[in-house]
Amino acid sequence: MNPTYFLFLIYIIVCTLIITYWAANRTKTTPRFYVAAGKLTGFQNGMAIAGDFISAASFLGIIGMVALRGYDGFLYSIGFLVSYIVVLFLIAEPIHRLGQYSLGDVICARFPGQHMRLLMALGTFIISILYMIPQLVASGFLLRLLLNLDYSLSVLIVGVLMTIYVVTGGMIATSWVQIVKTVLLMSGTFLLTLIVFSHFDWKIASLIDKVKDGSPFGMEFFRPGHLFQNPIEFFSLQLSLVLGTAGLPHILIRLYTVRNTFQVRRSLISSTWIIGSFYFMTLLLGLGTVALLGYDNLFSLDPTGNIAAPLLAHAVGGDFLLAFVAAIAFTTIIAVVAGLVISATTAFSHDIVHHILKKGKSTEKEQLHAARLSALAIGMISTLFALSLENINVTFLVSITFIVAASSIFPVLLLTFYWKRFTAVGVITGMATGLLSSLIFVIFGPHVMNPQDGWILREPLFSLYNPGIITIPLGFLGAIVGSLLSGKKRQSICEFERFFVRAHIGMDTRREVE
Amino acid sequence: MEEKIRAHLRKRKRLLILLLSVSLLFYFLLPLSLIFIPDVMSRPSFFYNMPWAWLYAILQIPMTWVFVGIYHAFAKKMERTMPVNKEDAL
């Protein structure tokens, strides 16, 4: 391995382990383990949310998509960003007011019961694991590509690190690793953008001219339509992207880590500024890649475009800048997987072990012990899974996560907060319809059933790669029909009004519990 | 529920629906315009002859910042003008 790459990698690992050691000394109580005791400021949490949200697929994938697909590649970023409007306007404040550590707490605030908690825990668990596996698999390929490390060793390094962060430092370590990642990612991307832009004398016209020269399509490169030809597929993707974030448990539980709704809003505003600026820079970097490396050159080296950013960094800054970009990609992966581990851990240890198995009677010490053990088990099992998936294409699981989240958790949360006729049966039917329909449409869709390279070598039963346009309405329909058919179990007007006031203008629930 | 709280919640709901509808309309007009009027969106604009679709897509970034900013300002004002002590409302 190139010594520069090795030094950067070691530097990142040592820094994050120092953070974890510092955090471990502060993670002595359950609230601190699960939600950092609500002590982060809005801006810190905003940086952590951005760190949790921007995955390697965003950092490396979108630059490559813009370079190869032009405008259509950029549209992914827009959906991801605008989704924060939905989170802020509809979901964020009620979640903060009603929940303690998990999404199960939120639903149980209106519909108490172990079934509700189990269902939400399962939903959280499925989504977190579905998202974590492809991140770990991608980390194996990425480190092999960038640092020439063996796939298994790469996955093992990332798996062990994420487990150490969460087991010893809980949410405090996870948050600070994510904050460091955001600082590195934003400063690195900004530096790279400045260097690339300087190659065009700081002139947009010059960049556009060079892109035209670098692409075989000329000015046609800038026309929409290089990726999305099917309008239903395109609209369906945009719908899933904009509603998906509002159902992602690892993002939503971050709203517990600040002390009041003012800080919740500041968290989301900060994260939209960071994410928006980041996507704008990736747009310039994608165009810069075409202009400086050439479309044909990039396509011949990597038809997926995933190594566009490292290639660009090497072209403008040599080995040193490439090592820096590789270090950013590595930090990006470990920050995202750590967030997913803590989300799955909370669902398992808080909802299933503490509330369901122990009937809410475990002591503070037992809860903390169960949480650490759960994190260890989840980290180990996910790593083992990723190790065995080297030869299987699991990248589609990333887009599936958004569809499952938008079709199951989002409808249930939205109707819980705003619909007075919603019932516990509606929660069950909504979650079940959303989850099952998403999984069925994916399994019988072209991601899995494909005569060329699918897991099942047959023609797909459903033609959509992104079935959100069908599964999201199905999730809502399941919840609504279930509620209407169980109308007798509806809350009284008085009960609903009390809940509604608590959810929308109730007092803040984040308090330090020592 | 006290009438003042009802009025407060109604006002909050009205503004929320307005902000949400305008922002989502602005967002969904992007894919819809690309589907239904692709030729118009591909025409060169005043900005270095880039197609209008690029300008509209890039505008979504400041649009998001503006809307979350407006919402925050509105929510702060609503919290200040809460009709009763929040604990009483519970």
Side-chain angles (χ1 to χ4, degrees), chain A residues 66-263:
Chain A
V66 172
L68 292 177
R69 307 290 187 167
Y71 178 80
D72 289 19
F74 180 55
L75 288 178
Y76 273 97
S77 323
I78 298 300
F80 287 138
L81 176 67
V82 178
S83 68
Y84 278 84
I85 288 186
V86 179
V87 178
L88 176 64
F89 286 13
L90 296 174
I91 303 288
E93 290 165 275
I95 282 193
H96 176 86
R97 288 189 179 107
L98 298 170
Q100 190 184 9
Y101 303 138
S102 68
L103 294 184
D105 295 334
V106 177
I107 300 298
C108 287
R110 182 165 175 195
F111 306 113
Q114 296 201 339
H115 291 105
M116 297 295 107
R117 201 172 274 283
L118 181 65
L119 200 63
M120 292 310 288
L122 279 179
T124 302
F125 205 75
I126 290 172
I127 290 172
S128 302
I129 299 293
L130 273 182
Y131 203 40
M132 194 183 335
I133 299 290
Q135 299 287 339
L136 282 172
V137 173
S139 75
F141 289 118
L142 187 76
L143 294 189
R144 185 166 73 183
L145 195 74
L146 298 176
L147 306 171
N148 207 17
L149 284 178
D150 178 58
Y151 172 86
S152 305
L153 180 65
S154 310
V155 171
L156 214 57
I157 290 174
V158 174
V160 168
L161 282 175
M162 73 178 189
T163 311
I164 291 174
Y165 300 150
V166 180
V167 170
T168 56
M171 183 58 101
I172 300 179
T174 306
S175 302
W176 282 99
V177 167
Q178 288 168 343
I179 291 169
V180 167
K181 169 256 181 96
T182 301
V183 172
L184 264 181
L185 179 75
M186 292 304 286
S187 53
T189 315
F190 184 61
L191 180 71
L192 190 56
T193 309
L194 287 184
I195 296 174
V196 168
F197 213 35
S198 71
H199 280 72
F200 305 102
D201 301 324
W202 311 100
K203 287 178 186 154
I204 292 176
S206 171
L207 171 66
I208 292 171
D209 285 342
K210 293 277 186 200
V211 172
K212 276 190 279 187
D213 297 343
S215 162
F217 307 109
M219 194 59 197
E220 284 294 299
F221 176 81
F222 291 102
R223 282 176 70 95
H226 290 288
L227 181 62
F228 306 113
Q229 269 94 34
N230 179 346
I232 297 175
E233 186 83 68
F234 173 47
F235 191 81
S236 183
L237 174 71
Q238 295 295 317
L239 189 68
S240 306
L241 293 181
V242 83
L243 300 182
T245 310
L248 288 180
H250 69 290
I251 299 295
L252 299 180
I253 62 165
R254 292 222 55 87
L255 302 171
Y256 298 137
T257 61
V258 290
R259 67 176 183 278
N260 55 32
T261 47
F262 179 82
Q263 298 297 341

